[in-house]
Structure formats: C-alpha cells, structure tokens
Amino acid sequence: MTQLRSARDGIITPQMTKVAELEECEPEFIRAGIADGNIIIPFNKKRTAASVCGIGKGLKTKVNANIGTSADLNDIDGEIAKLKAAEHAGADAVMDLSTGGDLRAIRKKIVEEARVTLGSVPIYEAVVTANSNKRSIKDITSDDLINAVKTHCEDGIDFLTIHCGITLDLLKVLKECKRVCGVVSRGGSFLVEWMTKHNRENPYYERFDEVVSIMREYDATLSLGDGMRPGALADAFDRVQLHELNVLAELVQRANDKDVQVVVEGPGHVPINQIPAQMKLQKELCKGAPFYVLGPIVTDVAPGYDHITSAIGGAIAASHGADFLCYVTPTEHLSLPKAEHVREGVVAAKIAAHAADLAKGIKSAWKWDYDMSQLRRKRDWEGQLATCIDPDRAKSLRESCMPNDQKVCSMCADLCVFKVADES
Amino acid sequence: MTQLRSARDGIITPQMTKVAELEECEPEFIRAGIADGNIIIPFNKKRTAASVCGIGKGLKTKVNANIGTSADLNDIDGEIAKLKAAEHAGADAVMDLSTGGDLRAIRKKIVEEARVTLGSVPIYEAVVTANSNKRSIKDITSDDLINAVKTHCEDGIDFLTIHCGITLDLLKVLKECKRVCGVVSRGGSFLVEWMTKHNRENPYYERFDEVVSIMREYDATLSLGDGMRPGALADAFDRVQLHELNVLAELVQRANDKDVQVVVEGPGHVPINQIPAQMKLQKELCKGAPFYVLGPIVTDVAPGYDHITSAIGGAIAASHGADFLCYVTPTEHLSLPKAEHVREGVVAAKIAAHAADLAKGIKSAWKWDYDMSQLRRKRDWEGQLATCIDPDRAKSLRESCMPNDQKVCSMCADLCVFKVADES
C-alpha cells in the first residue's frame, strides 16, 4: 500500500489524519486531494520518528531547504548544523544535495538526525562515485543510474528528484534554441552529457516504469526534476522548457496510475510578468499535481541577495498556485552556504510562503496577521516579539536602539501613532 | 515657470533633457509625459548641484529612502551617514522625516550634503515645534501648518508630503469602520487629532489653493499623503482608504491645473492578491498620476524582515504600475534604523524596482540581466562581481568559502554546469 493507493481505496491513513490536524481541515479533504493527485504526503516507509508534511491544493505553502557538501567543503558536522538551522527556522523539508565526501554516510547521518521530510537527487551519487573511482560519465551504466534510486529509497529518503523528462527529442530542441545559459540543472547537465556521449535515451525516461515500481515499494514520492529550467531571464519560457514540461505531464499520469505520488519541479530564473502564466500552465497540463518551484529568481543581477529575489518570485508563484517553495540562500551563484545563510534563506522563503497563504485565503495565515496587528495596536511588545516570525532577530533590532519610553519604539518615540491615539 | 507649465507650453527644459538621457529616451517623451501629469521631475528652484530624477509612466521605477532623527536618537552626523549610505546603495530620492532636535538645521545640512532628490513632511515641523515649546496640538494654528510648507519650500525641498485628503467627512467614515490599527500615518494621525480637537476642516484641504500656489513659486512637487493607508492587512482596501483616494483624485487635477506636479502616495500593509487592483484603481482614478507606494508590506508578522516583505510588495506593485517605491528597512516596527539598515533597505527596494522594470519591459533593465547572464555563463568572476547590484557583498560571500579552482564556485566545484558544458 502507498498513500495514494490507500486514498484511492477510500482509506484514511495515520499520516493523512496527522496532516489534516496540522492543516486544520478534515482528514477526508486530505484523502480526496491525494486520490486526485493534487496533494502528496512524502513519507518513505523506512522513515521513523519523522514529522509528516502535506503539500498541495488547499494546504499551506511549504518550504524546502537544500543542504549538502561539495568537493570544496565536505564537513558532515557543518551539514548537520545546516539541517538544524533549517529546522529551527521552520523549513518543512530538507534536501541533501551532497556532492563531496562519502555521500551515503552523509545521507544516513542526515536521515538519522532529521525530523523534517527529506529529499535527494540520486544521480549525483552515480556521478560522484564514478568520478571518485577515476571513471568518467561515459563509464556510468544505465543500471548505475537506476540503482542509485534504489539506494536512496532504501536509505529512507521521502522524495527523490529524478530528471525523467529529458529525452533525445528534447536535446534536438535544446540545440535549436540558442540559450544564454544552456542547462543549469546539475542533474540535467549530467544526463545531457551521458545521453550525448552514449548517444542513448535517458534511462530515467526509457526505464520509467522500473523507476516507479522501485519507488512504489518504499512509497517514496517522485519529484519530477526540471532539468531544462531557465538559468537566465533571457532563457525563460522557451521551447526547451515547454517541451520538458509536456513530457513531465505525461509522466505524472503514468506514475499516479502506478500509485506513486508525484510533485513537479519548476523554474528557475523567470521575470515577474511570466510567473502567473507559468503556474497556470503547469497546473493545467499536469492535472493539478503539486508544483515545486526553485525560486523563481526574478532577476539575474543580484547575487548576494538571491534569498530576496527568490522571496519575490516565490511569493508570486505560490499566490498563483505553487505549493512548495525551494529556498535560495544569499550565497547562491557565489559559494556553498553556511548555517547562517541557510537560516536567512529559510526565513525569506517562509515569508514568501506565508504572504502567498494570505493571498490564497488560508484561514490560519490570516489569524496570525490579525493577532500580530492587534498586539501592535496595543503596543504589547512582549507579545509582538513572541508572535513574530523570528523573535530573536526582532528583539535584537529593537534593542539596537531602545526608546526611553518602553511602550513605544525609537522610530517615532512619543509621536507613536498608537500612543497618540490612546492619549487623545 | 514650472516644469509642468513649460511642458504644457511645449518647452523642453534642461531637466527634461537630462532625464531623457538617464532614461535613454527622447526628451519629447518626457515633455509629453509631464504635460499629461504622468511624469514628474521633482526639482525645487532653490536646489543647486543636485541630480535630477524623473518618475512616472514609461520610466525606470525609482526608490526613496526615509532618514531622519527621532526624540530618542538625534544625531546629525548619523543622519548624514544614512544619507550617504542611501546614495551609495543607489537611492534615487531621500526623505528627511526628522522629528527630534533642531529640525531646520538638520534639513539644511541634508540639503547641503545631498545629491539626490529630497522630500519632507512639513507638518512634522509644526507639531515638533509646538511640543518643544510645551504647547499642545490644540495650540497649532492653521497658519502654522501652511507656514511649514513655505519654510520647507524655501529650504529647497523637491517634494513635500502633505495629507490634503483627510476631511471631516472622511473622519466620519473612519469612525464607522472598526479598523484594527486605525491611522498609522504619522502626519495623518496629527491631522486627525488637530481636526478633532479644533472640530475644524483640515487646513491642507480647506486652503488647498494656497498650498498649491506656494509650491508653484518654488516648483516643488506635491506628494499627496495617504494618511489613511492601512497599517494592518486586516485594514487594507476599506472604505476609509477608498474615501481618501477619491479626494486625492480630485486634488491631483486641481494642483495640475495650477501647474504644480503631483505624485500620489499609496499603501501600506496590503495582501498580495489586492495589490494589482489597488494599482489599477489609483491609476484610473488619478488619470495616470505617478504612484508612490510605501512598501507595500505583504504580511504583518515579519518585523526584522520588512525590507523583504516590502520588496515582495514593491515588486508586485511596480510591475502593476507603481512608479516610485518607498523603501522599508529591517528595523521597521522595531526601532530607528542605522546606516547599515538604510543600506539593506535601499538594496532590497532597488531589487524590487529592477525586477519590476524587467516586467515592465524596460530595455536597459533587460540589457543588465543579459550582460550578467553572459558573464555567468563564461564563468567570468571579475566581470560578474563588477556588474552585479552590490559588488562588495557578492565578493565577500564568494570569499566566505573559496573554491580550489578559481573558475568555479564552491557550491558545485568541478560539477559546475558551465564547466561541464565547456569541457564536454
């Protein structure tokens, strides 16, 4: 049994009940959403002691934080610190994107330490293993790629990003479209290289049913990677991107038919005016499958501030239907993030998600803002600091310039509009 | 002669020529936009050695930074440091909102030091002067309020925020609507108190023609304050806000008819899904007058991060027609900002403005992103750091974790997609 099979059989699982509790809705709403393929609960049967998280239609927008080593910085304690920073800041999911060191040992440690939903990208392991054995991408077999999926499932990963939509047909379109930044998905770039060097179809497409049956065994959720996402605003919404999305729409159906839950990944670098149409298109094509956007980043020129460029894009995307936001940290395009950057990235993405939830009309989101505004009006500082999204940061900024009158703040002092109103 | 009178007489002023240069368009486009009341160049005849800045239809979105003392922190050197931080980060305008210390001395120093367009709120001076003379708001006369406008014009301020739209009729509506946060505009709250205590009409409304003729003398631009802007999401788009906007629409016409340029101020705290309609409404009602938004902030719960909540709102607002974004700093709702917070606030607002300019299809904005993407594709790190929005910050984040291979970054190291593409 998988969550999807249960839902279709009319069974409400303990995970559905828990998600309903968290979302303040009826379990039947969750069951029906899963049965329709519009809600997912990524929860590998091998996971224990983890929290559950529902993603999709009618639910609060969720946030994922990417962590992981690289060849330049391979420190497992550092990764655990990032995991804890992400969880503390309120991430709903964490993806381990490690590409340096002993990947399996790192992954196992993260699975052991994490409370949140976990994701990964199995192809990294196939490539990094080949590299570390002084073998090239040409030496990687189709079986190596499929086996990586099995290993990640076995280790308890809840959702796996697999770039199944890159086909030989797509590579022709890619060649025709003169992109500024080409392929910027790491997994996508490996597959393009593999397919080109072998002159063969993508094993994740060709052997899709096999991939799905492995995932079904563990009830792992398939995150359909967008290997062709634009990496520059100039490349957004081109034939390459659309071709892949069209393939993904086919695969959503095929995976769902085999009782495997699916989320679809989306861009990327996208100008603001394209975001609503991108969301609408995905939702229509993929029959309401949950949409997981990587940003989107709304300008190319702000490295150092991509937590902000992606908060702008993420808020717009989610208010137009995206369900799951992958954070971006301030170090994107510059360096591997540290725990402090992970914290900043998660908070920015949580703000975007919450702002979108207000736009979506989620009741608990409105209650939070209403409560906060009432505390503000009453000049209840203790209450405001306890209620806001990051009490530590708010407290430290308030204390950076304290007022003489503790009931106001140093911006307006005695001219505080609420004080004026109270005293007039 | 004023810029508006000249434009209507078919005359292209040196300021129009300069703005056309900066915007990479024809001077005639600027002249026609000013004549229609859709573009402004706030430039007080008393200003010398200042840069000019055009705001409105078809132009790049501009950013304003608020600085100024409060009773709790009154340090003129600190304010000059904030002015310099704002200019360095790329602010197009700065407003001096001082409410502590010798306001005129501070203002004169800022006028002397500033290169950018300058704004202020004259009513603060009337109120602070009364307070410091141990007089109450009841002792302030109608003439005091009008004289403050004259003084600010005489000191060379380019645009003055005056809350002309608060009328006795409006106060009735305010009483009927049970707002969570009432009136959060400082100038608005003073006027409400003054009008209530005197039981008299707002002098800035009653003596509007007088206000306009003072401003005409200096060619100061009238920024029609939104005293009733919502200060909580729960208060957004209510009858109070709409009533005031309707009065402002009348006053835009009356000021323009007297050759005075006008910009209209807007909200405030607004949920994402309301922003497009708010922009559309203002533009239609006010016949295309430039729109100057204060944020908008898209959630109430994120003090400490209101540079981000307002970057989200500002980007959406500007991409739907707002022309001028008032920044918000991380210390909003918590304390008076310091220079570092001013810098952060300006950069966040510049990102929002630029992201909106891409959505608006501004050609120079697209060229910037295109150039940046090409440098990124080429892995030209020196070029990227020189071209991005904040080279110092990008450099420091890159150096926080340097790669072994200087041609990549430590996020992906040898697996850099651009390196893989170059070498395959």
Side-chain angles (χ1 to χ4, degrees), chain A residues 312-334:
Chain A
I312 294 171
I316 299 173
S319 65
H320 284 89
D323 307 284
F324 192 22
L325 303 180
C326 186
Y327 87 161
V328 180
T329 78
T331 72
E332 185 76 15
H333 302 109
L334 295 169

Side-chain angles (χ1 to χ4, degrees), chain B residues 62-63 152 188 350 405:
Chain B
K62 303 305 186 297
V63 165
H152 283 235
K350 292 279 291 180
D405 170 358

Side-chain angles (χ1 to χ4, degrees), chain A residues 70 300 305 338 369 390 400 410, chain B residues 70 300 305 338 390 400 410:
Chain A
S70 79
D300 304 315
Y305 298 90
K338 306 219 157 105
D369 278 51
D390 185 348
S400 71
S410 57
Chain B
S70 78
D300 304 314
Y305 298 90
K338 305 219 157 106
D390 185 347
S400 72
S410 57

Side-chain angles (χ1 to χ4, degrees), chain A residues 188-226:
Chain A
S189 104
F190 298 144
L191 278 170
V192 170
E193 204 193 349
W194 190 94
M195 291 162 69
T196 308
K197 293 214 164 134
H198 288 85
N199 192 27
R200 275 186 57 186
E201 189 51 278
N202 174 2
Y204 291 135
Y205 180 77
E206 203 172 42
R207 298 168 69 178
F208 185 73
D209 291 335
E210 212 172 318
V211 169
V212 164
S213 66
I214 294 168
M215 299 190 75
R216 188 187 201 291
E217 196 183 329
Y218 297 89
D219 199 6
T221 296
L222 175 59
S223 189
L224 284 169
D226 59 334

Side-chain angles (χ1 to χ4, degrees), chain B residues 355-366:
Chain B
D357 286 346
L358 294 161
K360 286 174 175 174
I362 302 261
K363 276 187 191 167
S364 60
W366 275 94

Side-chain angles (χ1 to χ4, degrees), chain B residues 290-364:
Chain B
F291 202 18
Y292 177 23
V293 292
L294 313 179
I297 281 173
V298 295
T299 169
D300 304 314
V301 303
Y305 298 90
D306 279 324
H307 59 312
I308 297 180
T309 63
S310 63
I312 295 170
I316 299 172
S319 66
H320 284 88
D323 308 283
F324 192 23
L325 303 181
C326 186
Y327 86 161
V328 180
T329 78
T331 72
E332 185 76 14
H333 301 109
L334 295 169
S335 62
L336 197 72
K338 305 219 157 106
E340 169 57 18
H341 308 128
V342 167
R343 191 197 64 73
E344 276 187 83
V346 170
V347 175
K350 292 279 291 180
I351 288 170
H354 173 67
D357 286 346
L358 294 161
K360 286 174 175 174
I362 302 261
K363 276 187 191 167
S364 60

